[in-house]
């Protein structure tokens, strides 16, 4: 078969966009466009890791003769980033409005079937406790609280869908219109509803909230993930510019994924952040690597 080149978002929790090279019997995946992890049939019908390929030097781990079709596809791959193929999106719904609240899952093709577990939105992997919301920190200082900001954020979003959370799959085209399908606990008449682009959050979670504090916390969350959110192709220039400013405050993360950016609003700003990342690395200052999990 001809090689297929595509990208998939890693959501719930969101950990960026994976680039994929697929030749049928073997695949390669990369989080940064440089290091590619290879998987292939082990001869016994099981797909296993078989090596690591580096864009600048070739095979770093594994036999050089492993999966020759995949290696050839890697050596001739088109420009990065590849198009995102996960056009189906599963959204946690607001219990009051029934509109999309937070992104739970994505899928490539064909109408997905149901949900594998009780709907719950996760902002970060369980082992990551580094998230700090400036808005919550200010409140903590006044109230003497020391609760995990990650857990407060998760409760805030999930409680907006409880006690009986509803979810729904939507197929999203380039226009952003969502064609409704199945889900969990939704009224039957919603299964074929069509929602306009503005009904969906621009990023991972709805940004408009009744409480100023809640809205600020969501803003802090998206700011924390700004480098990874820049990997999304369907962002307005205004949103991308806002995220670029925020992403430059996390130069280490930005340096990892800048090769996969579909568009840059201000190249000079990006280059300055990359220089800062190299200086931080030279001083032994590195960002945590929870997104590698």
């Amino acid at each position: 078969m001809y090689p297929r080149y595509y990208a998939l978002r890693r959501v719930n929790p969101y950990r960026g966009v994976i680039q994929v090279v697929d030749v049928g019997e073997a695949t390669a995946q990369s989080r940064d466009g440089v290091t590619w992890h290879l998987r292939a049939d082990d001869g016994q019908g099981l797909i296993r890791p078989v090596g690591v390929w580096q864009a600048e030097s070739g095979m770093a781990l594994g036999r050089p003769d492993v999966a020759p079709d995949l290696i050839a596809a890697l050596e001739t791959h088109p420009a990065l980033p590849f198009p995102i193929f996960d056009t189906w999106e599963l959204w946690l719904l607001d219990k009051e409005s029934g509109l999309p609240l937070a992104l739970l899952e994505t899928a490539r093709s064909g109408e997905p079937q149901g949900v594998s577990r009780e709907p719950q939105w996760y902002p970060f992997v369980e082992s990551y406790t580094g998230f700090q919301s400036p808005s919550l920190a200010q409140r903590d200082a006044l109230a003497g609280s020391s609760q995990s900001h990650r857990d407060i954020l998760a409760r805030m979003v999930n409680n907006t869908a409880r006690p009986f959370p509803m979810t729904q799959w939507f197929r999203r085209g380039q226009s952003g219109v969502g064609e409704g399908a199945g889900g969990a606990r939704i009224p039957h008449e919603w299964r074929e509803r069509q929602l306009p682009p503005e009904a969906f959050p621009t990023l991972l979670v709805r940004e408009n909230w009744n409480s100023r504090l809640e809205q600020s916390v969501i803003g802090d969350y998206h700011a924390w993930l700004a480098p990874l959110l820049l990997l999304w192709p369907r962002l307005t220039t205004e949103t991308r510019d806002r995220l670029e400013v925020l992403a430059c405050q996390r130069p280490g993360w930005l340096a990892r994924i800048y090769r996969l950016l579909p568009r840059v609003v201000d190249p000079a700003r990006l280059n300055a952040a990359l220089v800062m990342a190299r200086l931080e690395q030279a001083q032994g200052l590195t960002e945590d690597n929870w997104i590698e999990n």
Side-chain angles (χ1 to χ4, degrees), residues 91 98-101 170 172 176 178 194-202 206:
W91 287 90
L99 294 176
L101 170 67
F170 292 90
R172 306 282 305 279
Q194 188 174 91
L195 296 182
E198 56 269 22
F200 293 87
T202 300
R206 186 188 70 203

Side-chain angles (χ1 to χ4, degrees), residues 45-254:
L46 296 176
I47 302 298
R48 299 182 183 276
V50 294
V52 175
W53 187 85
Q54 294 284 347
E56 299 174 356
S57 56
M59 289 296 291
L61 291 174
R63 301 195 320 270
D65 61 340
V66 68
D69 291 346
L70 180 59
I71 298 300
L74 281 167
E75 292 174 340
T76 58
H77 73 69
L80 294 166
F82 303 148
I84 289 180
F85 270 20
D86 52 359
T87 55
W88 282 95
E89 298 176 346
L90 179 67
W91 287 90
L92 183 67
L93 304 181
D94 184 295
K95 66 183 175 186
E96 299 294 338
S97 67
L99 294 176
L101 170 67
L103 185 60
L104 293 183
E105 196 171 328
T106 64
R108 283 178 53 194
S109 60
E111 183 175 332
Q113 300 298 316
V115 190
S116 58
R117 60 181 184 271
E118 181 68 9
Q120 185 167 344
W121 177 75
Y122 298 92
F124 297 99
V125 295
E126 187 174 355
S127 60
Y128 184 67
T129 58
F131 171 63
Q132 291 293 313
S133 161
S135 304
L136 288 174
Q138 186 176 14
R139 189 196 67 171
D140 292 347
L142 296 173
S145 174
S146 60
Q147 295 183 63
S148 162
H149 291 183
R150 178 199 65 186
D151 294 345
I152 293 173
L153 170 63
R155 270 198 312 275
M156 187 182 85
V157 173
N158 286 308
N159 285 346
T160 307
R162 290 170 177 159
F164 305 108
M166 297 183 293
T167 64
Q168 186 169 13
W169 284 100
F170 292 90
R171 182 167 59 186
R172 306 282 305 279
Q174 287 300 313
S175 68
V177 171
E179 299 176 7
R185 301 190 178 101
I186 59 172
H188 181 76
E189 60 270 21
W190 287 7
R191 293 181 182 274
E192 295 183 0
R193 65 175 173 166
Q194 188 174 91
L195 296 182
E198 56 269 22
F200 293 87
T202 300
L203 303 175
L204 294 164
V205 185
R206 186 188 70 203
E207 295 185 272
N208 294 323
W209 292 70
N210 293 328
S211 159
R212 181 179 297 180
L213 176 61
E214 290 175 330
Q215 186 157 317
S216 296
V217 172
I218 295 299
D220 293 342
Y221 171 65
H222 286 146
W224 197 270
L225 294 178
L228 303 180
L229 291 170
L230 284 171
L231 299 176
W232 291 22
R234 196 172 60 219
L235 296 174
T236 65
T237 298
E238 180 183 6
T239 299
R240 187 170 294 280
D241 184 61
R242 170 168 61 97
L243 289 174
E244 279 186 17
V245 171
L246 296 168
C248 288
Q249 299 173 23
R250 307 190 73 80
W253 284 12
L254 192 56

Side-chain angles (χ1 to χ4, degrees), residues 4-7 17-22 27-39 49-62 66 70-71 73-82 259-260:
R4 291 183 294 170
Y5 302 95
Y6 55 88
V17 176
I18 289 286
Q19 308 296 304
V20 182
V21 178
D22 185 345
T27 62
Q29 296 187 350
S30 177
R31 301 182 182 93
D32 57 14
V34 176
T35 301
W36 296 81
H37 295 269
L38 282 53
R39 297 175 64 85
V50 294
V52 175
W53 187 85
Q54 294 284 347
E56 299 174 356
S57 56
M59 289 296 291
L61 291 174
V66 68
L70 180 59
I71 298 300
L74 281 167
E75 292 174 340
T76 58
H77 73 69
L80 294 166
F82 303 148
R259 299 174 183 84
L260 305 181

